[in-house]
Amino acid sequence: MEVVTSWASRVLEISAALFVFLIGCGVLALIYIYIRDITQTKQAIRRNYPVVGRFRYWFEHMGEFFRQYFFAQDRDELPFNRAQRSWVYRAAKNVDSTIAFGSTRALNQPGDIIFLNCPFPTLSEDAVPASAVTIGEGVARTPFTTSSFFNISGMSFGALSVPAVLSLSKGAKKAGVWMNTGEGGLSPYHLEGGADIVFQIGTAKYGVRDENGNLSDEKLKQIAAHEQVRMFEIKMSQGAKPGKGGILPSNKVNAEIAAIRGIPEGKDSISPNGHTDIQSIDDLLDMIARIREVTGKPVGFKMVLGAYGWLDNLMEAIHARGIESAPDFITLDSADGGTGAAPQSLMDFMGLPIKRSLPMLVDVLERYGLKQRVKVIVSGKLVNPAEVAWAMCIGADFVVSARGFMFSLGCIQALQCNKNTCPTGITTHDPKLQKGLVVTDKAERVAHYAKSMMYEVGVIAHSCGVTEPRRLRRFHAQIINDHGLPKALDEIHPPAEVKPEYRTNY
């Protein structure tokens, strides 16, 4: 009994000593933090309220995550609300996408889309797959024909991790959709999946530049020699940062990425804010002709539309040269796009959103008789079927998405894309974080998402009474106006008529 009592007393003494030690360490830590806070000069809150002021920054950071789960309604969040993300997650997992007890849409918010169901919808047995479209027909030596109207937008290797690129590549092949490389060059991971590829040429000419940073015809030929590379896209501007080039922080520029891009390892990869060799409409058309001649593949350009008077000048220049000089496609990005790092002043305030710019571009092409010659690809927050169907109604030939496919990979909108700390392993090169992204599983989700999207856009088309999505027109939809009432889309954006002098066989 005495032995037990002695042992218990000893345990209490040790526990008390340990407790005092821990309290002492805690006090010393608080003193250290207090001194550090009151002596630093960068943050006024910490200087005025040492120690406790730190909680302000912690809550500010954690609020990004708490709002997603506790404090916001399904349709309140930006840039993508929970309802938008939930549909993508369900589609990617190939689980039931039906809902019950009514829509959570208010159906009276300005800008909301409403499709007009036909009294005699297309029967399932009468529905047909999306028709094929040929890009570069009669102009490029190797035109590209595809029926996929929903594809993967440009996201560079470097901005994305190895398993993310592999998953997208393999998933795109399974779904029969194409994948845009983004401006970071062609990696072996793009090719490994076997998907069709659109090679993007950014302002820094990554992957096709010579030792002086100029466009290299020899490297263009090497890229074009890959059968999977179907088209080339000149990136003039992008939704995240119109008027500014790509930004890849130095902590992401490892040896492999540096070799693929043709740049120094471990240094920030900052693209010029414009092409030094494309400073006019004539320069742009000359560059398109050069790349098409060297590669034999269709060539187009990507832009965010801001100033728009130059579009008429572009169309007139094309007709003056001959319509074979036209770009084979134009990719129109929205001003509210962007997975990459960008100054907030550009991401928030620069460029036109596609609800304004897409009808404008389509109508300009129509007026000059070039809509059949120049295919229109559109991107910008089009991650759900209704948004894609709207774009088809307006006149887009194809829709591409970056962030939709990131959600299919498991992105939780942690807003860490511009850092090396993405918790899902999608935009980080930290091996510990990449472990969570299993390629075989994520490739299936990418494929499911693409297939589900095309299926449900088809469902909307059939309800509108047409046999496939490419037959959707502006009169099939209405938009809620500022008074909360629907207004016909073809009244808001009346279809353009071809000018008599530009009526051709195209």
Side-chain angles (χ1 to χ4, degrees):
M1 187 65 179
E2 291 181 359
V3 172
V4 173
T5 301
S6 175
W7 179 82
S9 299
R10 183 60 176 165
V11 169
L12 289 173
E13 290 175 1
I14 294 174
S15 298
L18 181 60
F19 179 75
V20 172
F21 174 76
L22 293 175
I23 290 294
C25 290
V27 171
L28 290 175
L30 288 173
I31 292 172
Y32 170 77
I33 294 171
Y34 180 90
I35 294 172
R36 183 167 181 176
D37 283 351
I38 62 173
T39 56
Q40 60 84 35
T41 58
K42 293 183 178 180
Q43 296 174 327
I45 295 294
R46 286 174 53 201
R47 189 174 180 85
N48 291 339
Y49 304 96
V51 183
V52 295
R54 288 175 172 260
F55 286 96
R56 184 265 181 189
Y57 300 99
W58 184 78
F59 285 131
E60 181 182 52
H61 173 65
M62 294 305 295
E64 297 173 4
F65 311 106
F66 288 154
R67 284 193 294 273
Q68 294 193 52
Y69 300 103
F70 303 112
F71 304 124
Q73 299 299 315
D74 279 352
R75 299 182 186 271
D76 286 349
E77 297 172 88
L78 291 173
F80 292 91
N81 61 52
R82 199 179 312 167
Q84 290 174 303
R85 300 197 314 271
S86 294
W87 184 87
V88 178
Y89 294 148
R90 292 196 302 270
K93 294 175 183 178
N94 200 29
V95 299
D96 182 19
S97 61
T98 60
I99 60 174
F101 212 68
S103 173
T104 60
R105 293 180 71 205
L107 301 181
N108 62 0
Q109 300 301 302
D112 278 359
I113 307 163
I114 294 177
F115 295 95
L116 305 181
N117 59 292
C118 177
F120 311 106
T122 300
L123 301 177
S124 298
E125 55 266 29
D126 296 328
V128 297
S131 53
V133 172
T134 300
I135 307 173
E137 185 173 17
V139 181
R141 294 192 299 274
T142 310
F144 177 41
T145 300
T146 179
S147 60
S148 65
F149 60 84
F150 185 67
N151 303 278
I152 302 175
S153 188
M155 293 180 282
S156 302
F157 173 56
L160 295 188
S161 64
V162 169
V165 174
L166 269 175
S167 299
L168 290 170
S169 176
K170 291 177 181 290
K173 176 64 175 178
K174 290 175 182 289
V177 305
W178 81 58
M179 175 185 187
N180 190 305
T181 63
E183 69 168 314
L186 182 67
S187 74
Y189 314 109
H190 290 106
L191 296 169
E192 185 173 332
D196 291 329
I197 291 171
V198 177
F199 183 90
Q200 187 181 93
I201 301 172
T203 57
K205 311 294 194 296
Y206 293 135
V208 286
R209 56 189 273 155
D210 61 21
E211 60 276 7
N212 297 316
N214 300 313
L215 184 65
S216 165
D217 287 357
E218 186 58 38
K219 290 188 177 180
L220 276 173
K221 291 177 183 178
Q222 293 173 7
I223 297 295
H226 295 285
E227 185 180 354
Q228 289 171 242
V229 177
R230 304 294 188 179
M231 302 194 295
F232 286 80
E233 177 183 82
I234 303 169
K235 190 186 83 169
M236 302 295 290
S237 55
Q238 68 180 88
K241 40 187 175 288
K244 189 171 180 62
I247 303 172
L248 190 67
S250 58
N251 60 353
K252 285 190 171 185
V253 185
N254 59 30
E256 183 178 34
I257 291 166
I260 290 170
R261 295 193 177 205
I263 57 175
E265 179 184 355
K267 294 185 177 180
D268 289 339
S269 179
I270 309 295
S271 302
N273 66 325
H275 290 268
T276 57
D277 47 4
I278 304 177
Q279 294 294 300
S280 67
I281 287 173
D282 285 333
D283 288 346
L284 176 58
L285 294 178
D286 288 343
M287 182 62 75
I288 289 169
R290 172 186 172 184
I291 297 171
R292 188 162 50 214
E293 176 59 30
V294 170
T295 65
K297 307 287 178 79
V299 181
F301 66 92
K302 177 180 181 177
M303 67 168 177
V304 176
L305 193 58
Y308 47 82
W310 69 278
L311 286 179
D312 289 285
N313 297 333
L314 173 63
M315 303 301 145
E316 291 169 357
I318 290 169
H319 278 288
R321 291 178 173 225
I323 57 175
E324 68 280 356
S325 69
D328 299 304
F329 64 90
I330 296 175
T331 301
L332 181 66
D333 203 3
S334 182
D336 53 5
T339 59
Q344 188 172 358
S345 56
L346 296 184
M347 190 174 283
D348 284 352
F349 301 107
M350 188 65 67
L352 291 174
I354 55 171
K355 286 188 177 181
R356 169 68 172 141
S357 59
L358 180 58
M360 188 185 303
L361 175 62
V362 170
D363 290 349
V364 168
L365 290 169
E366 289 283 9
R367 285 201 301 273
Y368 284 87
L370 292 170
K371 181 61 177 66
Q372 295 303 311
R373 168 71 181 91
V374 181
K375 306 307 178 189
V376 175
I377 305 169
V378 64
S379 64
K381 297 186 74 173
L382 305 175
V383 302
N384 292 156
E387 297 143 3
V388 174
W390 167 85
M392 306 296 282
C393 287
I394 291 292
D397 296 290
F398 303 94
V399 173
V400 291
S401 176
R403 287 173 289 182
F405 281 97
M406 288 178 68
F407 288 137
S408 76
L409 289 173
C411 169
I412 60 171
Q413 197 168 277
L415 309 180
Q416 304 289 310
C417 304
N418 58 331
K419 303 174 183 177
N420 203 31
T421 55
C422 172
T424 57
I426 298 171
T427 63
T428 178
H429 297 289
D430 185 336
K432 295 179 181 178
L433 295 172
Q434 288 181 2
K435 287 181 180 179
L437 208 163
V438 180
V439 172
T440 52
D441 174 67
K442 300 304 182 183
E444 290 293 334
R445 294 192 179 194
V446 168
H448 288 322
Y449 172 53
K451 290 178 180 178
S452 295
M453 175 67 80
M454 290 187 280
Y455 170 78
E456 292 217 11
V457 175
V459 169
I460 292 174
H462 303 157
S463 296
C464 290
V466 295
T467 55
E468 59 114 336
R470 294 194 189 281
R471 297 189 179 182
L472 287 168
R473 297 294 181 265
R474 296 183 187 186
F475 56 77
H476 287 126
Q478 296 198 357
I479 303 294
I480 304 298
N481 64 18
D482 291 339
H483 301 291
L485 299 173
K487 185 173 182 179
L489 187 55
D490 58 347
E491 291 181 22
I492 299 172
H493 303 293
E497 294 184 2
V498 181
K499 294 181 178 181
E501 63 268 36
Y502 296 118
R503 288 174 183 162
T504 67
N505 294 325
Y506 284 87

